[in-house]
């Protein structure tokens, strides 16, 4: 018996499956839609006319129209059931996914009518689409794996493993994508079974793993295993997240931390951070070691740290930290800390504030450096410097004292020798006196060399700027050495450019010292032949002239291996040079230093046994005043200075006796004061044209006496000429003499003409 459904039962079924029914009559091309059809599309029956054209043109998404057309055609032409999933436009909710089904009834091989349904599958389709997007478009590799191998995978897995396509990947057993051994030393096949078992037992497992691409390259991943059911079969959903970048970053951080720790240990420096909100401190390991503490995860609390700061430095520490916080600027200062064993250590602290978004300082961070050894070295250097300075002062005082003690009797020897030579001595006496004069002057050269060298080493050489005639200076130097050259039977020639008969501005004393050193050496070391002193203009403009000087001899010459150090202190060409020729070995050293201080250089050409040539260049400013060479810049020392009245302030009886003789010889009226105190009293009682003031005297020295005289109320004492007389050649003594108000300076021993010239210069016209 055939069962039949009633209309009511069919409507209940249709309502239960939440589907809309449609009926299409091909003879009339009319369609009938059920009320549920309209409801699913959110329309009222009177709002939309059913029909194939309206359905496809107005409801089907433009991208899905071809799908519908092809499916209908396949139904009508090939009797393939109509079943599509397309997007239809609803009245209020926009496009939604619907499943459209239908079957045609054929009469005589031709379709007569077609009946079907539409079902709303939007939620189910949207969920599947989202899952598909997650699976297919994830940058992580997703795979479904069971005991037989890989069931499915996404495109990320294909790219990650460097496979050509998904089909190639699915044919490979997953074991091939792991190296034989993992980084922990365990075999991959054994460890993978354990990881799978844990996932099945706990429902989840996450771990790090090393995989291998098809090209053999290994790379680290984070693996997640989730047991899932596919078609009633339990499989593993495997997710691989490539952590190569993370591992590389971790390795960089690890390496940087290791390098930082190593560099801090090597440099004895540590880093620190202080949280001002929580009061917690964080220190690096080396920071702990600097403080003599064992490294910990955090730094010592603020109270313990404060107790380790030296009490005398606590104010300094608080001041710098306060300034850093208030001014938002870095702090950098030295600090003493007291270690647990009581030892004091110096550290250097650097701190910088850190502010939050509100501008409040919430942290301080920075570094500390162990500078204990450096500080102790500095203290030792300071101590050594102080000792060196004391030694320098002692040396200077010694040189000054020795200069005074040696040059004072030398003044008498040279002075009285000059006086005796002026007394018409007998020929034999003249010979003795000349030998005495020569020996005294040689001794004075040695003394001056040593003192000049000391002054150069101490950096106390100053150069005058006075007018002088170069031609005259060279003639005087020749005159000073011609006697020795004549004695040895050698020629001493001048070869001077005529253009050099001009006046320049410079230091004639130092230039004379340089040339005298070189000329006297040339004469000393030449036994046969000649010594030639040459000077020529190298360059001249409106303001200056550059002169090339050259001293050539035909003497013993200098061995090639010695030319490099011939200018060194206390050095002579051979070991027997000093023994045979004498000298201090300082002449060339002083010459070299004096030229260097004037931005020049001494040069040498020499060949042993054939002679030597020393040459250099100096630039002088041109003077507006012209001094003729014939005048020689000197005053005859036999002219009477009658009418002058001089006060001699001197405590040495021999020097007083010598000075009296010179004064008598030049018709000068004089008085004598044995010390500065007497001089201060006498100068107020008499009207003197000049005062010759010794510097080192008992009761009151020449400095104090001069200063007191300058402060006397009568204006004449402010301009009274006072010439310093001293046996010390130290430059600082000369500077002090000028500072206290002296007008000029004469160093003992002096020649009669030098003393005469100084006195005559202040003679009232």
């Amino acid at each position: 018996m055939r069962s039949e459904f009633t209309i009511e039962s069919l409507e209940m079924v249709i309502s239960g499956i939440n589907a809309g029914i449609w009926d299409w009559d091909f003879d009339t091309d009319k369609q009938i839609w059920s009320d549920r059809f309209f409801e699913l599309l959110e329309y009222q029956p009177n709002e939309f006319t059913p029909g194939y054209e309206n359905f496809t043109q107005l409801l089907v998404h433009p991208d899905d129209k071809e799908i519908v057309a092809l499916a209908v055609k396949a139904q009508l032409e090939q009797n393939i059931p109509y079943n599509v999933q397309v997007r239809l436009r609803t009245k209020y909710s926009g496009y939604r996914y619907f499943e459209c089904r239908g079957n045609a009834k054929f009469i005589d091989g031709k379709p007569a009518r077609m009946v079907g349904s539409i079902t709303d599958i939007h939620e189910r389709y949207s969920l599947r689409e989202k899952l598909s997007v997650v699976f297919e478009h994830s940058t992580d590799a997703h795979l479904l794996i069971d005991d037989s191998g890989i069931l499915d995978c996404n495109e990320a897995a294909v790219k990650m493993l460097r496979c050509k396509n998904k089909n190639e990947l699915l044919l490979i057993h997953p074991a091939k994508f792991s190296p034989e051994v993992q980084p922990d030393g365990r075999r991959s096949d054994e460890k993978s079974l354990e990881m799978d078992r844990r996932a099945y037992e706990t429902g989840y497992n996450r771990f790090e793993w090393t995989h291998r691409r098809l090209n053999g390259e290994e790379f680290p991943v984070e693996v997640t295993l989730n047991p899932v059911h596919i078609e009633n079969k339990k499989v593993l959903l495997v997710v691989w997240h490539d952590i190569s970048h993370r591992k590389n970053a971790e390795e960089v951080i690890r390496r940087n931390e290791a390098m930082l720790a190593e560099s801090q240990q090597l440099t004895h420096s540590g880093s620190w951070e202080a949280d001002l909100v929580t009061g917690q401190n964080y220190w690096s390991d080396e920071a702990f070691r600097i403080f003599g503490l064992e490294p910990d995860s955090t730094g010592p609390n603020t109270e313990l740290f404060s107790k380790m700061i030296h009490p005398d430095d606590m104010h300094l520490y608080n001041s710098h930290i306060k300034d850093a916080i208030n001014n938002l600027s870095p702090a950098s200062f030295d600090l003493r800390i007291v270690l647990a064993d009581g030892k004091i250590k110096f550290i250097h602290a650097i701190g910088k504030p850190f502010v939050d978004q509100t501008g409040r300082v919430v942290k301080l961070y920075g570094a500390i450096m162990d500078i204990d050894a450096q500080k102790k070295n500095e203290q030792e250097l300071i101590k050594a410097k102080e000792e060196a300075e004391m030694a320098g002062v002692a040396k200077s005082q010694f040189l000054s004292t020795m200069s005074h003690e040696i040059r004072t009797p030398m003044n008498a020897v040279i002075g009285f020798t000059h006086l005796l030579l002026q007394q018409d001595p007998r020929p034999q006496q003249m010979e003795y006196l000349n030998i005495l004069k020569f020996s005294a002057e040689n001794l004075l050269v040695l003394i001056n060399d040593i003192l000049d060298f000391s002054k150069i080493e101490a950096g106390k050489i100053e150069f005058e700027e006075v007018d002088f005639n170069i031609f005259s200076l060279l003639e005087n130097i020749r005159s000073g050495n011609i006697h020795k050259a004549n004695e040895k039977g050698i020629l001493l020639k001048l070869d001077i450019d005529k253009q050099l008969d001009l006046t320049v501005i410079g230091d004639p004393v130092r230039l004379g010292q340089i040339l005298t050193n070189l000329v006297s050496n040339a004469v000393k070391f030449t036994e046969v032949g000649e010594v030639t002193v040459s000077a020529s203009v190298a360059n001249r403009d409106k303001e200056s002239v550059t002169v090339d000087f050259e001293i050539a001899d035909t003497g013993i010459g200098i061995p090639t291996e010695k030319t490099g150090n011939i200018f060194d202190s206390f050095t002579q060409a051979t070991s027997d040079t000093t023994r045979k020729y004498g000298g201090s070995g300082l002449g060339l050293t002083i010459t070299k230093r004096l030229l260097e201080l004037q931005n020049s250089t001494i040069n040498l050409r020499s060949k042993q046994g054939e002679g030597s040539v020393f040459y250099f260049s100096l630039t002088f400013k041109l003077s507006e005043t012209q001094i003729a060479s014939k005048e020689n810049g000197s005053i005859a020392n036999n002219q009477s200075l009658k009418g002058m009245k001089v006060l001699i302030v001197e405590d040495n009886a021999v020097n007083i006796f010598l000075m009296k003789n010179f004064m008598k010889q030049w018709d000068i009226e004089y008085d004598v004061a044995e010390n500065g105190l007497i001089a201060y009293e006498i100068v107020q009682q008499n009207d003197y044209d000049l005062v010759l003031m010794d510097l080192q005297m008992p009761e009151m020295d020449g400095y104090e006496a001069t200063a007191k005289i300058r402060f006397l109320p009568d204006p004449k004492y402010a301009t009274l000429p006072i010439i310093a007389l001293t046996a010390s050649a130290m430059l600082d003594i000369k500077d002090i003499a000028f500072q206290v108000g002296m007008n000029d300076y004469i160093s003992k021993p002096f020649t009669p003409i030098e003393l005469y010239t100084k006195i005559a210069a202040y003679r009232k016209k």
Side-chain angles (χ1 to χ4, degrees), residues 458-737:
K460 294 184 177 181
I461 285 288
E462 292 182 359
F463 293 90
E464 293 182 328
E465 289 197 353
V466 298
D467 293 340
F468 71 97
N469 184 285
I470 296 177
F471 203 101
S472 298
L473 179 68
L474 291 170
E475 285 184 333
N476 288 339
I477 289 170
R478 179 180 181 277
S479 299
N481 289 273
I482 191 65
H483 179 71
K484 183 64 177 177
N486 291 337
E487 284 182 350
K488 300 184 71 173
I490 62 174
L491 296 177
L492 177 54
K493 300 190 299 185
L494 286 180
D495 183 8
I496 307 174
D497 191 333
K498 293 182 179 179
Q499 298 181 59
L500 288 178
D501 187 5
L502 77 167
T503 305
V504 297
I505 301 173
D507 193 327
V509 175
R510 292 303 177 188
L511 177 57
Q513 186 177 3
I514 291 167
L515 292 169
T516 299
N517 270 334
L518 296 174
V519 173
S520 63
N521 273 353
V523 172
K524 181 194 298 184
F525 297 117
T526 301
E527 300 297 335
V528 178
E530 63 186 26
V531 173
T532 304
V533 180
S534 304
S536 59
V537 175
N539 184 52
R540 179 174 177 173
D541 55 33
K542 293 181 179 179
E543 297 182 352
S544 64
V545 61
T546 300
V547 182
D548 289 339
F549 294 94
E550 182 178 288
I551 294 86
D553 65 63
T554 57
I556 61 174
I558 301 168
T560 304
E561 66 274 11
K562 295 291 184 178
T563 56
N565 59 7
I566 195 66
F567 297 100
D568 293 346
S569 307
F570 308 107
T571 301
Q572 293 195 342
T574 60
S575 58
D576 64 342
T577 301
T578 303
R579 191 166 55 249
K580 184 175 180 181
Y581 295 98
S584 63
L586 288 174
L588 288 179
T589 303
I590 293 170
T591 296
K592 178 174 181 286
R593 299 287 182 86
L594 289 175
L595 285 170
E596 288 174 346
L597 290 171
Q598 297 177 87
N599 300 315
S600 183
T601 305
I602 183 72
N603 300 288
L604 167 66
R605 298 191 305 270
S606 184
K607 189 172 183 181
Q608 190 172 10
E610 296 184 9
S612 304
V613 178
F614 290 86
Y615 58 98
F616 62 91
S617 299
L618 280 175
T619 299
F620 304 95
K621 288 187 288 186
L622 293 171
S623 173
E624 295 180 0
T625 304
Q626 290 303 312
I627 302 173
S629 61
K630 296 178 183 179
E631 296 177 6
N632 291 330
S634 63
I635 303 173
N637 69 335
N638 56 0
Q639 185 178 349
S640 173
L641 295 177
K642 189 173 183 178
M644 286 193 73
K645 188 171 185 178
V646 175
L647 175 62
I648 302 169
V649 187
E650 173 68 72
D651 66 318
N652 185 280
V654 175
N655 282 334
I656 292 173
F657 181 65
L658 176 65
M659 296 291 283
K660 285 180 178 180
N661 278 276
F662 285 136
M663 298 301 108
K664 291 175 183 176
Q665 182 176 335
W666 299 327
D667 298 324
I668 296 175
E669 185 181 348
Y670 64 88
D671 289 324
V672 176
E674 286 78 12
N675 59 55
L677 185 59
I678 298 173
Y680 177 69
E681 295 172 353
I682 294 179
V683 81
Q684 299 179 65
Q685 300 169 7
N686 298 278
D687 188 15
Y688 295 107
D689 298 303
L690 179 74
V691 178
L692 296 173
M693 181 75 74
D694 189 28
L695 296 181
Q696 295 173 324
M697 296 178 294
E699 299 294 334
M700 181 185 291
D701 61 30
Y703 303 118
E704 186 178 355
T706 300
K708 288 177 72 66
I709 291 170
R710 292 303 186 205
F711 276 102
L712 288 170
D714 194 324
K716 71 176 183 179
Y717 296 112
T719 58
L720 174 64
I722 302 177
I723 298 177
L725 289 174
T726 179
S728 174
M730 302 309 290
L731 192 63
D732 52 353
I733 291 177
K734 182 177 180 181
D735 292 338
I736 297 171

Side-chain angles (χ1 to χ4, degrees), residues 2 60 63 173 227 268 307 338 343 393 430 528 567 709 716:
R2 183 181 179 185
V60 178
D63 294 343
H173 193 275
H268 300 294
K307 287 181 179 179
V338 183
K343 291 182 179 179
V393 171
M430 177 69 78
V528 178
F567 297 100
I709 291 170
K716 71 176 183 179

Side-chain angles (χ1 to χ4, degrees), residues 89 109 159 187 253 334 340 365 420 497 688:
R89 187 176 66 182
K159 293 179 180 178
R187 290 179 58 85
I253 292 173
D334 293 344
Y365 61 94
L420 289 172
D497 191 333
Y688 295 107

Side-chain angles (χ1 to χ4, degrees), residues 159-333:
K159 293 179 180 178
M160 186 178 290
L161 295 171
R162 304 288 193 269
C163 295
K164 295 178 183 177
N165 49 48
K166 181 188 287 190
N167 292 332
E168 181 184 29
L169 192 153
L170 297 179
L171 293 174
I172 300 172
H173 193 275
K176 186 173 181 180
F177 297 117
S178 295
E180 185 177 353
V181 179
Q182 288 297 309
D184 61 1
R186 296 183 62 184
R187 290 179 58 85
S188 295
D189 52 1
E190 296 175 356
K191 188 174 181 179
S192 64
L193 293 175
E194 180 184 339
M195 297 296 103
D196 292 351
R197 178 180 56 78
R198 289 184 185 177
Y200 283 119
E201 290 177 353
T202 63
Y204 178 82
N205 192 12
R206 178 180 288 178
F207 53 91
E208 290 185 4
W209 193 265
T210 297
H211 274 301
R212 183 171 57 195
R213 311 185 204 275
L214 276 187
N215 61 8
E217 178 189 353
E218 295 183 1
F219 64 102
V221 296
E222 183 181 68
V223 179
T224 303
L225 302 180
N226 286 287
V228 296
H229 286 83
I230 301 292
E231 297 177 353
N232 297 322
K233 182 179 180 182
K234 206 169 189 179
V235 299
L236 283 175
L237 172 61
V238 182
V239 179
W240 294 345
H241 177 64
D242 190 335
I243 58 174
S244 298
H245 290 298
R246 191 184 85 191
K247 285 291 185 182
N248 290 338
E250 289 175 354
E251 176 60 21
V252 170
I253 292 173
R254 184 203 62 77
R255 188 183 303 114
N256 286 343
E257 287 179 345
M259 290 170 61
L260 177 61
E262 189 69 22
S263 64
Q264 287 189 349
Q265 194 169 1
L266 289 171
T267 59
H268 300 294
S269 61
S271 50
W272 57 269
E273 179 185 307
D275 192 320
L276 302 182
V277 178
T278 64
Q280 184 63 58
N281 298 322
Y282 302 92
W283 286 14
S284 67
D285 288 353
E286 191 60 25
F288 279 100
R289 283 190 281 268
I290 289 173
F291 276 75
L293 302 173
E294 286 296 323
D296 197 355
S297 58
T298 59
N301 59 48
T302 303
E303 183 180 358
L304 175 59
F305 170 69
S306 298
K307 287 181 179 179
M308 297 186 71
I309 298 176
H310 194 285
D312 294 344
D313 290 350
M314 180 57 77
H315 174 73
L316 173 70
Y317 170 76
N318 290 332
S319 175
H320 280 286
I321 296 301
K322 184 178 179 181
D323 287 345
I325 294 174
N326 292 339
N327 301 324
L328 300 181
S329 60
S332 179
F333 54 97

